[in-house]
Amino acid sequence: PGRSWFLSTSSREEDSAMENIVTEKKAEESHRQDSADLLIFIMLLTLTILTIWLFKHRRFRFLHETGLAMIYGLIVGVILRYGIHVPRDISNVTMSCHVNASPATLLVNVSGKFYEYTLKGEISANEVNDVQDNEMLRKVTFDPEVFFNILLPPIIFHAGYSLKRRHFFRNMGSILAYAFLGTVISCFIIGLLMYGCVMLMKQMGQLGGDFFFTDCLFFGAIVSATDPVTVLAIFNELQVDVDLYALLFGESVLNDAVAVVLSSSIVAYQPQGDNSHTFEVMAMLKSFGIFLGVFSGSFALGVATGVVTALISFFTKLRDFQLLETALFFLMSWSTFLLAEACGFTGVVAVLFCGITQAHYTFNNLSPESQDRTKQLFELLNFLAENFIFSYMGLTLFTFQNHVFNPMFIIGAFIAVFLGRAANIYPLSFLLNLGRRNKIRSNFQHMMMFAGLRGAMTFALSIRDTATYARQMMFSTTLLVVFFTVWICGGGTTQMLSCQRIRVGVDSDQDNSVSVAIAEGSERRSTKQESAWLFRIWYNFDHNYLKPILTHSGPPLTATLPPCCGPLARFLTSPQAYENECQLKDDDSDLILTDGDINLTYGDITVSTDASGAHTSSGPAFAGAATSDDLDRELAYGDHELVMRGTRLQHVLVCKCNH
Amino acid sequence: PGRSWFLSTSSREEDSAMENIVTEKKAEESHRQDSADLLIFIMLLTLTILTIWLFKHRRFRFLHETGLAMIYGLIVGVILRYGIHVPRDISNVTMSCHVNASPATLLVNVSGKFYEYTLKGEISANEVNDVQDNEMLRKVTFDPEVFFNILLPPIIFHAGYSLKRRHFFRNMGSILAYAFLGTVISCFIIGLLMYGCVMLMKQMGQLGGDFFFTDCLFFGAIVSATDPVTVLAIFNELQVDVDLYALLFGESVLNDAVAVVLSSSIVAYQPQGDNSHTFEVMAMLKSFGIFLGVFSGSFALGVATGVVTALISFFTKLRDFQLLETALFFLMSWSTFLLAEACGFTGVVAVLFCGITQAHYTFNNLSPESQDRTKQLFELLNFLAENFIFSYMGLTLFTFQNHVFNPMFIIGAFIAVFLGRAANIYPLSFLLNLGRRNKIRSNFQHMMMFAGLRGAMTFALSIRDTATYARQMMFSTTLLVVFFTVWICGGGTTQMLSCQRIRVGVDSDQDNSVSVAIAEGSERRSTKQESAWLFRIWYNFDHNYLKPILTHSGPPLTATLPPCCGPLARFLTSPQAYENECQLKDDDSDLILTDGDINLTYGDITVSTDASGAHTSSGPAFAGAATSDDLDRELAYGDHELVMRGTRLQHVLVCKCNH
């Protein structure tokens, strides 16, 4: 029934119309399925959040949110794997097509029409008949690159952005030693041990495929990235010793970067000879060159973007429009990642150093509102990404299709991971203690050993490539290592702390920095020794020249540059530098060595802006090079100055309240 | 050179290793290219932000950020199209493979190995030889579903979330009329006019493919979604009349939802007979049923998620953990979208009503910090998504491969869009004015006519499907309509405002609401008439029962429920409801009819918490049904009350400052 007042159509048109409808229906169905799959993860996260709230509310500390996310992931994984069976749909069965190569794009000619197909990946021969049945499981499997390109960057950026801690800089040398030397040591120890294990397995006929020495080294690199997020959350809550916190946090942030670059240089190891798995000096050197090149390139890129953002926010008055400011900050930080990836460097590493630079320079140029906004934004992104990764980890234990669980390899891996961590912490601590006045005590060493959890980075690196037998076995083993460390080591943190008699309840708040500094006055001299001369020079340069040029804080350049550069200094110094001096004290006090140092490089200007007006300093201006004797005198002077500043700081605080 | 102490490998292994390396290299190359492409957009956005800042700084108003984003997009599009030529890479040329169907997944057998391919789309025959050359252009072309599933939801949610305006509710009836009736009228007028135009083109032999009446209607639906973001930004800045603002904003937010559902029901129109483009009553009714079903389903889903979030935040004390609170809010809002899509409803519509519900209920349960956080988060997402869409629009004018520009169709479309908007605004305004006391004056009508810009929604709907000739012509024409309206109508807003003598500088701030209300005391009576009895009942029900149950604000249920329900009321009322009454006044005053109404439904409790303690009311408690006379008396009483409340409000403000 019905009047045909529309255009009448020919039979061909009808066919094509019907075909379009079928295609549209299919696309709609697939879209619906995708939405449902994503919904599973959102629901998982929601559930995790509600349970976390309950835990926090009741002050349970034995299970961190990441551990919880994994448990929920596991449960959903079991349900998906064993609970749901998709009936085989005949009309949707995939078809085979014999060609000679596997290009990235494939054109398929279907009765005169061309369809474009893109390569998704290789499927092992025994799975081909099983494709339909696993379709549903593969649906909830994300492209591994998602972790590396979408979820990891905000986590790493947030780590860098929140690294702005006074005690981080105080322990700079030790942190760098643990992160660089320690990760390399750990990587090679684990690699060698695993090679022994693999050889043994081969002898016993337990190996089902190739496993080369480079694979062992790769495994060593990926499980060397520590992620003590669980431990640090408890540290934060219990206010554990700040030095221990700084050592652990700094090490874990930087060793992620080292592990990423290390693993990619191991993959790049390609001897030129016929046999691609022999040892060759040239290839080895090339790999080492790649490591240095990629690391320094990513580092430079990250810092460069950070500096550019600082300059933009310095020269424009974006602070009047907070939305634009926040958006710019976000986009610039993201573009670091993309730029690094486009140049062939490692985006994650670039983003880390971009975050550190942004925190150090750009943060000071942002309006207070944008400072909050950016912090909160990245905090939220970090939270969501982290919990997503951990719940996906739990899920993937059951939904991943190509698990290879080999008991011998797993036991070997656990032993190797333990020994690798030990070979990192104890010998390095011994060597560092030779140079440190403020020793890393043995209970700190045990705690660091214990806190070597493996997390998001290890997982992302191991899931990135699961094409070969070796990689599949690594992935399965890595999952177990992550589960074990997060649940057992993470859950036992409180017990371990009390067992090692590490003091808790240390107040590290900024406001107390003055009183703490006075109380710890005797420790100051040791701090001086501790921080290397190289770092002191850098600090002075940064504080006197870089900060004033890149931010609105820091002393005016007119005061730090020699008088002959007067016009240039006046041009580069922002008007705020003169006005904001009151605020500057706060900004600086949380990041650097000792408060004495600030006075020392800054003595002459401090006083002219002293709000109380009672104290007039005659200390000589100090900028850059000075003999050790000078430094000592300055530090002693700083001690005296500090007490005076204590009163002034209080005065400033009162000012703010009245304001 | 080099010692071979690694495992020696067979020739087969080498081959497979080499193959793996080649595949890896290819994947790396493609990933690098993707990063570079995304970087182009990030740079575009950064450039836009900096230019916007310059414009705002210099107070240029003739070009909005979205217009600017389009211009930058156009420039980059021209460069990509004509400036860069990718040399033809032989090794990467795609290959053909003849099969009989085009399944979603294709397994390809390459010398014993199976590779999985996924369908990307159809390619027109004349493009096949040209694939390589266009590879680069197609690289910067996003999957159209990205717009609908990633970029549009935050925009729409933000619109709903910021709809919480006093004047929106005052003009509720008119807004609903414009959004529902108006959009349908506009859709059919444009559809009919375009059908005439297409028939004429067919007669003149200017039509290169099929163009059915349903296509014309579809075109009518997609260009009926208005997006006056440019106009509203200027309204905000110049503080244009609040009623006009509410009418335009409300209409544009709701008509997006109507247009989406309308277009999908037009697509769903499928007569059962042989000829798929004839008129059939049953199919027509079915389409109408789909419209109603999808709209009400999406509406219900959105409201349901909003209510669930409100309940969760009501019963848990999440406000102690702002991060969890914000994360939960974000996830629940996102899950609305996914849930709706998974159920076959329209996610965008669900998200809109979820946003409105969240603003109305959940927002009141959030801690003040989370209120800021969520607002800022969605503001940022909205900003980024909007500018991304508009710059992509500019880009796509040159990079889209299948443009069909037909001068006659374009001219016809412009005329039809103009007439369709006129047929929406003028007749409806006339009818509405019959019922309204506070008439929509003719200069307001002209302004609404002028402000019918087309934007993100129109674009997203038109790019979603560009498979057929008709859809391609629509897409190209839509692009031009968007460009024209955003640049010309958006840019001319200030001129139009002064030409129509619409008063600017109206202060609509909340803080002034009391004085404004007093000044406009005479207008109040008309307000009463204006709001329909249905709406009044709803408001009373909402304020007396829903708000107290779902949020920590609103009067305690013990006061609004009949005494017999005492225990239930005490169970459902949160302790805060008694404490927060001071704050409640502020919450409510910005959303509803007139302040008089609040007193009227709330008279008995108001007074007991009166901070000044000077005024004691003896007004009868009023809840639900009342005769018109009662209402009038209450309103008169409200007038009196209002002056007293003015002093109290000031008292409260002083309280807050001291606090």
Side-chain angles (χ1 to χ4, degrees), chain A residues 248-300:
Chain A
L248 260 177
F249 186 59
E251 187 219 344
S252 72
V253 166
L254 288 178
N255 78 5
D256 279 359
V258 175
V260 174
V261 183
L262 202 57
S263 65
S264 69
S265 355
I266 290 168
V267 170
Y269 173 81
Q270 293 297 342
Q272 287 204 314
D274 293 338
N275 193 325
S276 65
H277 291 277
T278 51
F279 177 78
E280 205 180 81
V281 178
M282 280 310 294
M284 173 94 186
L285 284 180
K286 203 182 146 205
S287 267
F288 186 69
I290 288 175
F291 178 84
L292 285 187
V294 169
F295 198 94
S296 53
S298 310
F299 174 83

Side-chain angles (χ1 to χ4, degrees), chain A residues 582-649:
Chain A
C582 169
Q583 176 207 331
L584 155 76
K585 303 293 181 307
D586 272 359
D587 281 0
D588 268 8
S589 66
D590 69 321
L591 78 93
I592 240 9
L593 307 165
T594 60
D595 293 85
D597 263 16
I598 294 169
N599 277 356
L600 170 158
T601 59
Y602 193 57
D604 53 343
I605 320 139
T606 306
V607 183
S608 59
T609 58
D610 190 324
S612 69
H615 172 72
T616 317
S617 158
S618 57
F622 172 88
T627 64
S628 177
D629 273 25
D630 271 347
L631 267 175
D632 250 302
R633 188 153 44 79
E634 289 299 326
L635 278 169
Y637 169 73
D639 267 4
H640 174 72
E641 172 89 325
L642 209 62
V643 185
M644 314 299 284
R645 281 190 60 208
T647 22
R648 198 175 61 241
L649 210 69

Side-chain angles (χ1 to χ4, degrees), chain A residues 1-9 13-14 20-21 24 31-32 35-36 38-39 42-43 45-46 49-50 52-53 56 94-111 113-123 128 138 149 195 202 210-213 267 270 274-275 277-280 312 316-318 321 323-324 327-328 330-332 334-335 338-339 341-342 344 373 376-377 379-380 383-384 465 468, chain B residues 1-9 13-14 20-21 24 26 31-32 35-36 38-39 42-43 45-46 49-50 52-53 56 94-110 113-123 128 138 149 195 210-214 267 270 274-275 277-280 312 316-318 321 323-324 327-328 330-332 334-335 338-339 341-342 344 373 376-377 379-380 383-384 465 468:
Chain A
R3 217 154 39 89
S4 88
W5 51 276
F6 287 82
L7 283 172
S8 71
T9 53
E13 280 163 352
E14 273 166 50
N20 277 341
I21 292 160
E24 254 168 40
H31 172 66
R32 224 181 255 195
S35 300
L38 204 50
L39 196 61
I42 306 285
M43 285 298 152
L45 289 187
T46 310
I49 288 175
L50 289 177
I52 295 167
W53 165 75
K56 290 210 173 185
T94 53
M95 48 194 321
S96 291
C97 154
H98 291 254
V99 285
N100 317 329
S102 60
T105 330
L106 193 72
L107 286 187
V108 178
N109 188 338
V110 183
S111 48
K113 278 192 171 183
F114 290 92
Y115 292 91
E116 192 187 4
Y117 283 81
T118 44
L119 182 61
K120 205 174 172 188
E122 197 188 331
I123 291 179
V128 172
R138 280 193 299 122
N149 297 324
Y195 190 61
K202 205 177 176 91
D210 294 330
F211 211 113
F212 303 109
F213 184 68
V267 170
Q270 293 297 342
D274 293 338
N275 193 325
H277 291 277
T278 51
F279 177 78
E280 205 180 81
I312 289 178
T316 61
K317 263 120 204 150
L318 268 179
F321 308 98
L323 179 64
L324 297 185
L328 186 81
F330 178 77
L331 290 177
M332 289 299 287
W334 191 17
S335 67
L338 294 173
L339 194 63
E341 291 286 318
R373 276 194 186 199
Q376 289 169 357
L377 176 69
E379 198 185 350
L380 181 69
F383 178 82
L384 292 177
D465 179 4
T468 64
Chain B
R3 218 151 41 88
S4 86
W5 51 277
F6 288 82
L7 285 172
S8 70
T9 53
E13 279 164 352
E14 272 167 49
N20 276 343
I21 291 160
E24 255 168 42
K26 259 188 209 166
H31 172 65
R32 223 182 256 195
S35 300
L38 204 50
L39 196 61
I42 305 288
M43 286 296 152
L45 289 186
T46 311
I49 289 176
L50 289 178
I52 295 166
W53 165 74
K56 290 209 173 184
T94 53
M95 48 195 322
S96 292
C97 153
H98 292 251
V99 285
N100 316 331
S102 60
T105 329
L106 194 71
L107 285 187
V108 178
N109 188 339
V110 182
K113 280 191 168 183
F114 290 92
Y115 292 91
E116 192 186 4
Y117 283 81
T118 44
L119 182 61
K120 204 173 171 188
E122 197 188 331
I123 292 180
V128 172
R138 280 195 298 124
N149 297 324
Y195 191 61
D210 293 331
F211 210 114
F212 304 109
F213 183 67
T214 43
V267 169
Q270 292 297 343
D274 293 337
N275 193 325
H277 292 275
T278 51
F279 178 79
E280 205 180 81
I312 290 179
T316 62
K317 262 121 204 150
L318 268 180
F321 308 97
L323 179 63
L324 297 185
L328 185 81
F330 177 77
L331 289 177
M332 289 299 287
W334 191 17
S335 68
L338 294 173
L339 194 62
E341 291 287 320
R373 275 194 187 200
Q376 289 169 358
L377 177 69
E379 197 187 352
L380 180 69
F383 177 82
L384 292 177
D465 179 3
T468 65

